[in-house]
Amino acid sequence: MLNTHKSQELFNKAKEIIPGGVNSPVRAFKAVGGNPLFIKSAKGAYLYDEDGNQYIELINSWGPMILGHAHPVIEEAIRNAIPNSLSYGAPTRIEVEMAEQIIGMVKSIEKVRMVNSGTEACMAAIRVARGYTGKSKIIKFEGCYHGHGDSFLIAAGSGAVTMGTPDSAGVTQGVANDTLTAKYNNLAEVEQLLESNKGQVAAIIVEPVVGNMGCVLPAKGFLEGLRSLCDQHQTLLILDEVMTGFRLSKGGAQELLNIQPDLTTLGKIIGGGMPVGAYGGRKEIMDCVAPVGKVYQAGTLSGNPIAMSAGLAMLRYLEQHPEVYTNTVHITKQLVNGMRENMKKLGLNYTITQLGSMFSLFFTEAAVTDFDSAKTSNTELFGKYFRAMLERGVYLAPSQYESLFVSNALSEADIKHYIQANYEALKEVAGK
Ligand code: HOZ
């Protein structure tokens, strides 16, 4: 049994003064049982909790820690930036360098605006799409999550579905009416929505590879189909690359899957772990944004110099070290193959999805291609599995409906450890 005494004490105190004791619902472990661990530090491939337990890390701050935690290049960039002060609320050289870097790496982005989170980026992107097209509605996909903006908390994935609230209280009917939903990977439904709302749909927003209902891959032709439907209906295609941008390849999922969006949203990865987001795309669309155009969007901390320094160091490193991508994919495939072999030995046939350094193990035998199939998973079994892995020193995302993210810092020994833990945990929970 893990000793998590100090985490327990902190959680009890936190519950008195923070809603649910956490600052983001998924962290509360409600979907998996037990109490959340309070993390004290992390280095490379490992997390350390307040009680001194060490875990192999498979969340990596929900994506950004591609290089592992506390990477020396990023630490140095932050250290160098600190003596120049922490925030000005005025333009800086490093914002220009960051914009150049993003535009250089992501082909579809001609102009980019920095914000502070993926949520902000997605909220701004749909406002820009509405301002540019003069249309009001958007189409999103069931189980996709684009942050906690009102328009997106309709059939939302991630923490919203984990907590059983895919449609949040507090979102007005008026806002909800402007969000149309379709099933992921179902082009016919999108086509129907566009036809029955002709001339009214400003944008389709989609996670090109979903991370927020577990890892779900686009079917062949799905993204291409969305592109051509958008063209037919003068609707903008927004790719939410908050989790996939710079992770699945240096040009994001759009480069890997060869799909050209009108707008892209980016998040935590471009801060190297600091709170950052951005949205960008075609010049003529981005020129709708104030102070050039009439779509208002602003922020004191946008382009914060410390966050820019961390993010720029991260992006430059990734650009100069393409082996990070080949290596993280190699590591991920080893983990996935190991799990498949374990299941074979145990006579189990759960579904694994994987692309690049993202993957999920779904406790269902059904192929997972959308929200409905993701929800056939046995979440109680997932909860048991999560706790069994934790006991064996592996920290997974505390929900069936989240992707796992692999870092470049995992060693051969860590991979072995993970595969062995997976074997034992599956054996324990599946009663084999
Ligand atoms: N799936 C979320 C990130 N896109 C998890 C993070 C959170 O809600 O705290």
Side-chain angles (χ1 to χ4, degrees):
M1 258 311 243
L2 280 175
N3 173 12
T4 56
H5 225 75
K6 290 185 183 157
S7 280
Q8 178 67 57
E9 253 173 43
L10 280 167
F11 188 47
N12 290 341
K13 195 169 178 182
K15 278 191 289 189
E16 303 285 321
I17 47 181
I18 302 173
V22 291
N23 282 314
S24 196
V26 187
R27 295 178 200 172
F29 278 27
K30 284 213 167 200
V32 289
N35 292 319
L37 298 173
F38 280 63
I39 303 303
K40 191 168 187 180
S41 67
K43 179 79 189 160
Y46 309 113
L47 279 181
Y48 300 91
D49 69 14
E50 284 282 344
D51 293 278
N53 300 303
Q54 174 182 300
Y55 307 91
I56 294 175
E57 158 70 316
L58 266 304
I59 304 182
N60 285 300
S61 193
W62 306 97
M65 301 305 179
I66 300 172
L67 307 176
H69 285 276
H71 191 277
V73 167
I74 294 167
E75 280 192 340
E76 195 196 346
I78 294 174
R79 247 195 318 270
N80 289 342
I82 286 174
N84 299 326
S85 186
L86 304 184
S87 173
Y88 320 114
T92 59
R93 175 187 295 272
I94 198 159
E95 289 169 282
V96 182
E97 291 174 4
M98 176 61 118
E100 273 179 338
Q101 185 69 30
I102 292 173
I103 289 165
M105 290 174 83
V106 185
K107 296 278 169 307
S108 68
I109 299 184
E110 295 173 346
K111 276 196 175 181
V112 62
R113 169 62 66 83
M114 303 305 299
V115 291
N116 300 294
S117 68
T119 291
E120 271 188 50
C122 292
M123 281 164 49
I126 58 160
R127 186 179 303 148
V128 171
R130 285 170 168 152
Y132 176 76
T133 60
K135 302 173 186 178
S136 314
K137 298 191 177 176
I138 60 160
I139 296 177
K140 79 173 278 290
F141 294 90
E142 292 171 12
C144 280
Y145 179 77
H146 307 287
H148 63 272
D150 284 4
S151 307
F152 305 121
L153 291 179
I154 320 286
S158 187
V161 60
T162 301
M163 300 298 134
T165 51
D167 303 296
S168 170
V171 174
T172 64
Q173 194 53 48
V175 170
N177 289 344
D178 280 335
T179 300
L180 310 170
T181 60
K183 290 192 197 321
Y184 192 75
N185 277 328
N186 191 327
L187 276 178
E189 272 197 15
V190 179
E191 197 166 1
Q192 206 178 14
L193 284 176
L194 286 167
E195 281 304 327
S196 52
N197 294 273
K198 232 183 174 70
Q200 297 177 65
V201 181
I204 296 177
I205 185 164
V206 65
E207 294 178 76
V209 175
V210 188
N212 288 297
M213 47 176 145
C215 177
V216 177
L217 275 44
K220 204 163 184 284
F222 175 61
L223 297 172
E224 293 83 345
L226 292 183
R227 176 68 275 170
S228 73
L229 283 172
C230 282
D231 291 341
Q232 279 167 45
H233 289 266
Q234 287 83 52
T235 291
L236 299 188
L237 179 62
I238 305 173
L239 290 191
D240 177 343
E241 294 234 44
V242 167
M243 296 203 285
T244 54
F246 309 104
R247 170 167 276 280
L248 290 186
S249 81
K250 72 181 174 55
Q254 55 192 270
E255 179 182 66
L256 189 73
L257 304 170
N258 191 23
I259 178 92
Q260 181 89 357
D262 299 296
L263 290 173
T264 300
T265 58
L266 299 164
K268 40 212 159 216
I269 291 177
I270 50 170
M274 299 284 287
V276 185
Y279 62 100
R282 289 196 350 244
K283 242 181 215 155
E284 76 194 89
I285 303 172
M286 290 303 289
D287 280 341
C288 289
V289 180
V292 190
K294 291 200 167 136
V295 176
Y296 198 73
Q297 180 275 308
T300 297
L301 293 169
S302 300
N304 172 271
I306 308 300
M308 293 298 96
S309 303
L312 192 56
M314 166 94 163
L315 296 189
R316 284 182 176 156
Y317 188 92
L318 290 173
E319 193 176 34
Q320 288 156 16
H321 295 83
E323 72 278 7
V324 169
Y325 293 102
T326 39
N327 194 46
T328 48
V329 173
H330 179 65
I331 296 170
T332 311
K333 285 193 170 153
Q334 283 178 274
L335 301 178
V336 165
N337 290 341
M339 291 197 295
R340 286 196 207 285
E341 273 171 33
N342 288 343
M343 286 201 281
K344 212 163 153 188
K345 281 187 216 153
L346 293 165
L348 299 170
N349 196 23
Y350 299 133
T351 297
I352 298 176
T353 53
Q354 180 252 331
L355 188 67
S357 55
M358 292 169 68
F359 76 96
S360 283
L361 167 62
F362 288 97
F363 282 81
T364 176
E365 295 193 358
V368 178
T369 56
D370 59 13
F371 198 27
D372 287 339
S373 46
K375 284 192 294 185
T376 63
S377 302
N378 183 334
T379 50
E380 207 181 308
L381 212 54
F382 175 83
K384 285 185 186 158
Y385 171 72
F386 171 86
R387 293 194 303 276
M389 289 295 273
L390 212 53
E391 283 291 334
R392 289 164 177 83
V394 181
Y395 190 85
L396 304 173
S399 166
Q400 175 71 94
Y401 303 114
E402 299 286 355
S403 179
L404 298 177
F405 299 94
V406 175
S407 86
N408 198 37
L410 286 182
S411 67
E412 284 298 324
D414 298 328
I415 295 167
K416 265 202 189 124
H417 180 138
Y418 175 90
I419 294 170
Q420 180 61 24
N422 169 267
Y423 178 82
E424 291 171 12
L426 281 176
K427 192 169 175 191
E428 185 179 308
V429 307
K432 296 274 176 176

